[in-house]
Amino acid sequence: MDRRSFIKKTGAVGAGAAAATALAAPAIAQSTPKVTWRLTSGFPKALDTIYGAAEVFADAVREATDGNFDIQVFAAGEIVGTLEALDAVSDGTVEMTHNCSYYFWGKDPTFGIGTGIPFGLNARMTNGWMYEGGGIDMLNKFYEGYNAIAFPAGNTGAQMGGWFRKEINTVEDLQGLKFRIGGMGGKIIEKVGVVPQGIPGGDIYPALEKGAIDGAEFVGPYDDQKLGFNKVAPYYYYPGWWEGGVAVHNFINLEKWNELPKHYQATVKNASALANTVMMARYDTLNPKALKELAASGTQLRPYSQPILEACFDAATETYAELSAENATFKEIFDSYMAYRREGYLWFQLTEYNFDTFQMLQQRAGKL
């Protein structure tokens, strides 16, 4: 090969490499654009479990995109309050909120199902229905009417049944009781004589302390201990029948979601699923120790009586029939949710229930 031919050929290769380099840089930049979002949490920073799940989510998104997709997390009230967060997402004030959908059930009772309704699914079943039973798609069809899309991003598991200033032994003891409760549980417990109070988590302690309310539920031992409820109400009841498997969601402005590259959308979904797993793991790890500490400090643990549970179950069944008769969207999603419950408990009573019961008996016998 002569010198002129060699230069001509190598020059062409060099020019091609330069062109490829010139094309590669913008292509990479376009595939990982700089995006900054604001996420308003529905919870205070003090709750490192439920608030912390939003940080787990944001960190995972940041890591997966080399910091190009930055989601800044703000505590409830720093931008908007818990109950105003969905409106802020819908109108684009913020891009997203990490929140419980049942806080917005006053707009439409269907919002209650997203978090979980009284005597509904436990945490395992909730995930099953959401991911494999069509729950996410059904709910997102509904959320679309509020210019939002949502993905599960946390679960507390079954919660406790609340703190009371006096013992609650009978259905009659519930009459006229002012009780802080979130979501649809308030509508149902009202049927058995309770006066439900909608109070954000950060305002519960002073309301209990001053006697403005007679009792309050929030989450469970770890969070409740952090908020100091044991200092102002000695009786701690279980189970939280209105919250058997509480799902927390990432609600995202639909227009902002549609603007994201597909791989950023996938990152958001995967990071949400991680937050979902981590939150449940943290509660299962932290609640046992906190419960023992509460009991040691004088907290009186009490089970709800069977008559109270049955009265509330019947009130829930009646409420769901009423809502289904007047709200076609609620009925469609509710029917799917409850069909999953029926199938789920056929399976769980054979496996989880019997296995767990045996293990608990061994623990009581001092063998575990």
Side-chain angles (χ1 to χ4, degrees), residues 25-197:
I28 292 171
Q30 288 168 12
S31 66
T32 55
K34 291 283 186 181
V35 177
T36 301
W37 278 8
R38 295 191 303 172
L39 179 158
T40 178
S41 172
F43 313 98
K45 284 184 180 179
L47 301 180
D48 55 336
T49 43
I50 198 162
Y51 171 86
E55 294 187 321
V56 168
F57 161 76
D59 287 343
V61 170
R62 218 172 280 117
E63 182 178 356
T65 61
D66 291 327
N68 287 306
F69 191 178
D70 182 27
I71 298 176
Q72 301 168 356
V73 181
F74 296 86
E78 288 184 341
I79 301 177
V80 295
T82 301
L83 304 182
E84 295 75 39
L86 179 64
D87 289 339
V89 169
S90 296
D91 65 25
T93 300
V94 294
E95 285 78 15
M96 61 184 300
T97 181
H98 181 249
N99 221 317
C100 290
S101 64
Y102 71 9
Y103 286 140
F104 317 120
W105 84 278
K107 297 176 181 294
D108 188 307
T110 310
F111 276 105
I113 302 174
T115 296
I117 56 178
F119 298 105
L121 304 178
N122 64 21
R124 284 268 300 276
M125 292 179 196
T126 296
N127 280 334
W129 179 69
M130 290 282 187
Y131 291 114
E132 296 294 327
I136 292 176
D137 290 339
M138 294 184 78
L139 288 169
N140 276 331
K141 183 180 177 182
F142 167 67
Y143 297 147
E144 187 177 342
Y146 294 84
N147 196 31
I149 188 170
F151 303 101
N155 201 300
T156 68
Q159 296 189 4
M160 289 291 282
W163 298 84
F164 293 87
R165 296 163 64 88
K166 65 176 185 178
E167 287 191 79
I168 307 297
N169 297 314
T170 66
V171 175
E172 288 70 32
D173 290 335
L174 297 173
Q175 306 308 302
L177 199 78
K178 290 180 289 184
F179 185 57
R180 183 274 176 190
I181 184 169
M184 196 179 295
K187 183 177 180 66
I188 290 166
I189 207 168
E190 191 173 23
K191 286 181 177 288
V192 295
V194 171
V195 182
Q197 308 290 306

Side-chain angles (χ1 to χ4, degrees), residues 56-368:
V56 168
F57 161 76
D59 287 343
V61 170
R62 218 172 280 117
E63 182 178 356
T65 61
D66 291 327
N68 287 306
F69 191 178
D70 182 27
I71 298 176
Q72 301 168 356
V73 181
F74 296 86
E78 288 184 341
I79 301 177
V80 295
T82 301
L83 304 182
E84 295 75 39
L86 179 64
D87 289 339
V89 169
S90 296
D91 65 25
T93 300
V94 294
E95 285 78 15
M96 61 184 300
T97 181
H98 181 249
N99 221 317
C100 290
S101 64
Y102 71 9
Y103 286 140
F104 317 120
W105 84 278
K107 297 176 181 294
D108 188 307
T110 310
F111 276 105
I113 302 174
T115 296
I117 56 178
F119 298 105
L121 304 178
N122 64 21
R124 284 268 300 276
M125 292 179 196
T126 296
N127 280 334
W129 179 69
M130 290 282 187
Y131 291 114
E132 296 294 327
I136 292 176
D137 290 339
M138 294 184 78
L139 288 169
N140 276 331
K141 183 180 177 182
F142 167 67
Y143 297 147
E144 187 177 342
Y146 294 84
N147 196 31
I149 188 170
F151 303 101
N155 201 300
T156 68
Q159 296 189 4
M160 289 291 282
W163 298 84
F164 293 87
R165 296 163 64 88
K166 65 176 185 178
E167 287 191 79
I168 307 297
N169 297 314
T170 66
V171 175
E172 288 70 32
D173 290 335
L174 297 173
Q175 306 308 302
L177 199 78
K178 290 180 289 184
F179 185 57
R180 183 274 176 190
I181 184 169
M184 196 179 295
K187 183 177 180 66
I188 290 166
I189 207 168
E190 191 173 23
K191 286 181 177 288
V192 295
V194 171
V195 182
Q197 308 290 306
I199 302 174
D203 297 331
I204 297 173
Y205 182 93
L208 267 175
E209 184 181 36
K210 295 172 184 175
I213 56 176
D214 303 304
E217 61 80 33
F218 191 59
V219 180
Y222 183 73
D223 287 345
D224 293 359
Q225 182 185 44
K226 271 182 167 290
L227 295 175
F229 299 152
N230 57 305
K231 299 174 184 176
V232 288
Y235 300 103
Y236 199 19
Y237 278 78
Y238 61 90
W241 49 264
W242 49 88
E243 293 174 320
V246 175
V248 185
H249 281 72
N250 278 328
F251 284 88
I252 303 165
N253 177 277
L254 191 55
E255 293 161 8
K256 290 294 183 180
W257 170 257
N258 289 331
E259 290 173 2
L260 289 178
K262 292 297 183 184
H263 64 289
Y264 274 20
Q265 291 182 349
T267 298
V268 168
K269 289 181 182 179
N270 292 334
S272 295
L274 175 65
N276 192 21
T277 301
V278 169
M279 185 192 290
M280 187 74 260
R282 286 182 176 174
Y283 275 117
D284 283 343
T285 301
L286 296 168
N287 276 333
K289 179 175 181 291
L291 185 63
K292 287 192 288 187
E293 291 174 352
L294 287 169
S297 70
T299 293
Q300 301 296 306
L301 294 172
R302 297 284 190 273
Y304 281 122
S305 68
Q306 195 67 18
I308 287 177
L309 290 175
E310 289 178 357
C312 292
F313 183 90
D314 291 344
T317 302
E318 179 183 325
T319 300
Y320 300 145
E322 293 168 354
L323 292 173
S324 294
E326 63 191 30
N327 187 320
T329 301
F330 176 88
K331 183 181 188 307
E332 179 186 10
I333 300 177
F334 171 81
D335 286 349
S336 170
Y337 180 91
M338 286 305 189
Y340 202 94
R341 184 185 71 169
R342 285 192 296 274
E343 295 298 315
Y345 277 112
L346 283 174
W347 167 241
F348 272 55
Q349 66 183 292
L350 296 178
T351 53
E352 304 292 331
Y353 174 78
N354 281 289
F355 178 76
D356 289 347
T357 299
F358 176 80
Q359 296 284 74
M360 292 169 193
L361 290 173
Q362 302 316 300
Q363 185 178 49
R364 292 177 186 178
K367 297 180 181 181
L368 192 70

